């Protein structure tokens, strides 16, 4: 079970309004009050994208509040076009591994190099992660936008 949380220097009512505002920026859905509620966030984990839903609990703590999130449900899918690009780049590279046994395969070296670099630039260089941890990091900094662009599937 995944758990994330943060301590905020604001009362629970303001913490709930910050959660609602940031969830709106992320494209998520917040249904709750100053004691807690349900938060659904769009998440991105490398090649996987989807939605994570969790239960938020907000408790007063030393002049501020403690916000904890517990994962209830998640639905993730693989970004198919990125996997296809990576697979197409891997085919000549894997075939090139047979070069010591079949010297004619050395002709695949330039194709393998070009496709490998293309896959890197098109897919791997753009991989990012945005989930509950990043949401709570943005919540703690008071950044209104947070990492909203990274979270959109």
């Amino acid at each position: 079970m995944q758990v994330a949380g943060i301590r905020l220097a604001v009362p629970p009512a303001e913490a709930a309004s910050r959660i609602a505002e940031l969830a709106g920026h992320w494209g998520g859905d917040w249904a709750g009050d100053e004691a807690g509620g349900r938060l659904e966030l769009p998440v991105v984990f490398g090649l996987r994208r989807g939605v994570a839903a969790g239960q938020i609990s907000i408790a007063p703590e030393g002049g501020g509040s403690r916000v904890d999130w517990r994962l209830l449900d998640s639905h993730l899918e693989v970004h198919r076009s990125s996997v296809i690009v990576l697979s197409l780049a891997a085919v000549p590279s894997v075939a090139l591994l047979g070069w010591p046994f079949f010297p004619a395969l050395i002709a695949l070296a330039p194709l393998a190099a070009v496709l490998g670099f293309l896959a890197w630039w098109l897919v791997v260089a753009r991989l990012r992660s945005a989930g509950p941890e990043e949401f709570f990091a943005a919540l703690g900094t008071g950044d209104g936008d947070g990492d909203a662009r990274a979270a959109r599937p």
Side-chain angles (χ1 to χ4, degrees):
M1 180 175 304
Q2 186 179 6
V3 177
I6 192 167
R7 187 188 179 304
L8 299 174
V10 297
E14 188 175 337
S17 68
R18 280 190 184 182
I19 291 170
E21 179 183 351
L22 189 58
H25 286 294
W26 274 51
D29 185 34
W30 163 250
D33 56 15
E34 61 191 44
R38 182 177 170 90
L39 177 65
E40 291 185 16
L41 290 175
V43 294
V44 176
F45 300 115
L47 293 176
R48 297 171 297 151
R49 299 166 186 230
V51 176
Q55 183 68 34
I56 294 274
S57 63
I58 305 171
E61 183 179 279
S65 56
R66 174 78 189 168
V67 179
D68 290 311
W69 182 83
R70 185 174 49 93
L71 178 66
L72 296 176
D73 187 30
S74 67
H75 176 72
L76 299 174
E77 293 180 351
V78 174
H79 192 239
R80 290 183 190 105
S81 60
S82 296
V83 172
I84 290 169
V85 169
L86 290 173
S87 299
L88 290 176
V91 168
S93 299
V94 170
L96 191 60
L97 291 175
W99 164 71
F101 307 107
F102 305 101
L105 288 177
I106 196 67
L108 288 176
L111 178 64
V114 168
L115 289 178
F117 284 125
L118 271 174
W120 178 267
W121 288 322
L122 290 174
V123 177
V124 178
R126 295 181 180 183
L127 292 181
R128 57 189 181 268
S129 181
E133 292 83 11
E134 291 79 10
F135 180 84
F136 283 105
L139 185 66
T141 62
D143 185 6
D145 248 353
D147 197 8
R149 291 175 308 281
R152 298 220 167 92

